[in-house]
Amino acid sequence: MITTESPKPDRAAKHRQKLVEYVTWIDRTCSENPGARVALRAGLRQNINNRSTFAMNRYIAPWLPENASDATQRAYFTVAALIASRPRAAENEDDEDENEDGAPDGASAERSDNGVQRPESGPDSTDAPAGDEAEPAVPAEAPERWGPSLGSAFAEAVAEAPGRDREMRESAAESRLNMLTRQGASGIHRSLPASVLYLRQLDVPVDWAQLLADLIAWPDHSGRIARRWLQDYYRRRHRDANQAGGDEGSTPDSTEESPE
């Protein structure tokens, strides 16, 4: 298969790509290394200067931008702790697969104590399709600049609930989302865990890279980010309501705006 040359990522796309690499690595590390997951989970709702977060530096420091502000560092810490903090049911399933040494069944005994490896640069997948000159060229996809917001995740949580549960979930989702949008720079880090764990218990995916980008920008752009979360939520709920009622006078399809 022949592909056309990939569009060159702009600054926003490059930024997102780095964040995606970070959260992907954290997620994989938590899955493969129970000790790392415990260390990262300890940072939930904690200030980065709290001693309980010191062990997190082993995993996070290699990823931090040069001269990163405290606010940026805290965003990296919070998202890592959120990824490591899985719902209890998921933890129990993982625990069943762990042996007495705390390593998952089948895990290599050759792995280092904490499984810390310097993250590789670039996306995980390098399996570019083998050249097949017989197939027509296909246009390469443009690199992503942003992902679904937390508002979209809350709307997804409501959409997937049946009957009476949907009404209850809509009330909870709207309440939690509005509460988050009123938080300041410190409050958002304290309030996020309960809401994110609520979404994970419902198996609603969270775009960790986008959440990290939003937390980094929160101190300076909380109003704009909060507005986007709310608009994404209500836009999706309005579209779902129109589709459920067969209303042909629905609003145009969502075109999520740039975070910046």
Side-chain angles (χ1 to χ4, degrees):
M1 178 181 296
I2 301 175
T3 59
T4 58
E5 184 178 357
S6 300
K8 293 183 178 180
D10 58 16
R11 183 177 179 182
K14 289 180 179 177
H15 180 60
R16 173 167 171 79
Q17 187 178 46
K18 290 181 179 178
L19 301 185
V20 168
E21 290 170 3
Y22 169 70
V23 299
T24 300
W25 187 83
I26 291 291
D27 188 44
R28 186 169 62 243
T29 298
C30 289
S31 297
E32 298 174 349
N33 187 338
R37 179 156 58 91
V38 171
L40 293 171
R41 188 173 54 193
L44 208 62
R45 299 186 182 88
Q46 300 296 328
N47 188 284
I48 56 175
N49 294 324
N50 191 299
R51 292 183 183 279
S52 63
T53 69
F54 285 1
M56 299 176 71
N57 287 286
R58 184 182 184 92
Y59 307 96
I60 297 176
W63 290 92
L64 293 174
E66 196 75 20
N67 300 319
S69 67
D70 283 359
T72 294
Q73 293 189 40
R74 190 172 187 184
Y76 276 77
F77 276 62
T78 291
V79 170
L82 288 171
I83 293 173
S85 301
R86 302 175 181 179
R88 187 171 300 278
E91 288 186 2
N92 291 339
E93 290 178 2
D94 288 346
D95 290 343
E96 292 176 358
D97 295 333
E98 294 174 7
N99 58 29
E100 294 180 354
D101 294 327
D105 286 342
S108 170
E110 298 177 0
R111 191 171 57 208
S112 62
D113 290 343
N114 290 300
V116 178
Q117 297 177 353
R118 182 63 180 90
E120 297 177 356
S121 60
D124 290 334
S125 175
T126 57
D127 54 346
D132 187 346
E133 297 179 355
E135 297 185 25
V138 295
E141 294 183 359
E144 283 187 330
R145 303 182 71 214
W146 57 86
S149 74
L150 204 62
S152 297
F154 274 108
E156 180 71 15
V158 177
E160 294 302 316
R164 176 64 177 166
D165 286 346
R166 178 171 300 180
E167 296 178 18
M168 298 170 60
R169 199 172 290 181
E170 177 146 28
S171 175
E174 193 169 3
S175 176
R176 287 176 180 275
L177 187 57
N178 277 287
M179 180 272 294
L180 289 174
T181 60
R182 295 193 294 268
Q183 301 302 313
S186 295
I188 191 68
H189 291 273
R190 290 194 302 269
S191 303
L192 262 178
S195 293
V196 170
L197 289 176
Y198 165 78
L199 293 172
R200 300 191 76 180
Q201 288 169 353
L202 300 174
D203 290 329
V204 175
V206 174
D207 190 306
W208 299 115
Q210 185 58 55
L211 182 58
L212 175 54
D214 288 346
L215 288 180
I216 292 172
W218 192 270
D220 295 323
H221 304 287
S222 61
R224 181 183 303 173
I225 296 167
R227 172 168 53 86
R228 178 165 47 82
W229 288 2
L230 290 168
Q231 290 182 353
D232 286 348
Y233 175 81
Y234 288 115
R235 186 184 294 120
R236 168 68 187 274
R237 294 298 304 126
H238 189 74
R239 188 171 69 243
D240 288 347
N242 283 342
Q243 290 176 348
D247 184 357
E248 297 182 354
S250 60
T251 57
D253 287 340
S254 168
T255 51
E256 294 187 18
E257 61 185 83
S258 167
E260 298 297 330

